[in-house]
Amino acid sequence: LDVLKDASSAAIYGSRAANGVILVTTKKGTRDNKIHVNVESYYAAQTAWKLLTPLNTTQYLQYGKTLLTNANQALPDRWANLNAETYPGSGVSFANTNTDFQDYLFRTGGMTHNSVSVSGGNDKSRFYTSFGYFKQDGIYVGTNYERGNLRINSDHNVGKHFTIGQTLTIATASKLDEGVGGGRTALANVIKSLPYTPVYNPTEIGGYFGTTNADGSDPVNPIIPAVLIRSNGKNTRIMGTVFAEAKLTDFLKYRFTA
């Protein structure tokens, strides 16, 4: 790291460098006439350290009936028919369903990073090349992040007073995020979800039990935005420089960078 400030930074980079400039020099090869290979790899796992403790069906209905009765409001029509099947042919009634949607939304997400670098050089030339791959599965179903990068640096002495070189970095990344169902995140829908509704319904599009406003809470099955309404973003960046450096004396250098 090199720090330029005051007149030295302004002279090179103009008014944008009024607060100073930090120059970062990436890794380069050594001049020991040897090839160096470095390999790094690791794997880790992450999970939600604490989940909510939602009401089960019996507790939810008891709470809802008490709340509505005290407010002199009618009970939802669905509650009078909780012995009906959750969907035709399921063989399971709403009353016998106890769903904790957190069990289906959260997961243990794996995370891995792998990199390989090769470097070397002699008194005339040196190079450094590396490749890295990183992948992280989110603790939400349907979310992840993936990145790959390639770096190539080299410089070459041409005679005693002239040096040329280049740096090149190519990075590509993709990100998969949950969608928004009913204007809410998946976690917001988990909080509002009804324990007597199932996660799956093969009779509906996508195979998931859909939106229900059976008791006015109007939640969306949180697995739907996490799996069916996802957003996928990808980008690739290419950054590089080519430079030539002329050493006129032992104390004066001119550097031209493109």
Side-chain angles (χ1 to χ4, degrees):
L1 296 176
D2 293 317
V3 179
L4 304 180
K5 54 184 179 179
D6 303 326
S8 60
S9 61
I12 301 174
Y13 297 98
S15 60
R16 293 183 301 172
N19 293 324
V21 175
I22 296 178
L23 301 180
V24 180
T25 302
T26 56
K27 293 182 178 180
K28 295 184 177 181
T30 58
R31 299 186 183 278
D32 58 0
N33 294 303
K34 296 180 180 179
I35 299 296
H36 301 269
V37 179
N38 186 54
V39 178
E40 295 182 4
S41 180
Y42 73 79
Y43 178 86
Q46 55 185 359
T47 186
W49 71 277
K50 185 177 182 180
L51 300 179
L52 302 173
T53 303
L55 301 177
N56 60 32
T57 296
T58 300
Q59 294 168 332
Y60 180 85
L61 294 174
Q62 181 181 3
Y63 170 79
K65 289 176 181 178
T66 302
L67 181 67
L68 294 176
T69 300
N70 290 340
N72 294 318
Q73 296 185 17
L75 301 181
D77 294 337
R78 167 66 63 81
W79 291 3
N81 193 28
L82 289 175
N83 290 322
E85 289 184 317
T86 53
Y87 58 85
S90 70
V92 179
S93 67
F94 289 100
N96 290 328
T97 300
N98 281 293
T99 304
D100 183 350
F101 285 88
Q102 296 173 109
D103 295 337
Y104 299 87
L105 178 65
F106 290 99
R107 65 179 179 182
T108 298
M111 181 169 57
T112 183
H113 173 73
N114 304 280
S115 65
V116 178
S117 65
V118 180
S119 62
N122 51 37
D123 57 344
K124 296 295 184 180
S125 300
R126 58 179 176 172
F127 72 94
Y128 178 90
T129 301
S130 66
F131 173 78
Y133 173 75
F134 175 82
K135 183 178 181 182
Q136 180 179 15
D137 294 324
I139 60 175
Y140 270 16
V141 170
T143 61
N144 65 24
Y145 177 76
E146 193 172 9
R147 182 185 70 242
N149 59 274
L150 174 67
R151 176 179 296 166
I152 302 174
N153 297 340
S154 68
D155 57 78
H156 313 275
N157 295 331
V158 181
K160 294 183 178 180
H161 305 289
F162 196 66
T163 301
I164 60 175
Q166 52 75 225
T167 65
L168 175 65
T169 299
I170 302 174
T172 179
S174 65
K175 184 179 181 182
L176 194 62
D177 284 328
E178 60 166 321
V180 177
R184 309 182 193 96
T185 65
L187 185 57
N189 279 307
V190 162
I191 296 173
K192 297 175 69 68
S193 290
L194 310 177
Y196 57 77
T197 59
V199 174
Y200 303 104
N201 183 352
T203 66
E204 295 191 18
I205 297 176
Y208 294 94
F209 195 90
T211 304
T212 176
N213 58 357
D215 58 7
S217 57
D218 192 31
V220 173
N221 185 337
I223 311 303
I224 292 178
V227 176
L228 300 182
I229 317 177
R230 299 181 295 183
S231 62
N232 191 356
K234 295 183 178 181
N235 66 77
T236 299
R237 296 182 179 182
I238 301 176
M239 297 172 287
T241 62
V242 177
F243 69 87
E245 185 177 273
K247 186 177 180 182
L248 302 183
T249 69
D250 290 337
F251 305 99
L252 179 63
K253 292 182 179 181
Y254 287 100
R255 185 182 179 93
F256 306 93
T257 303

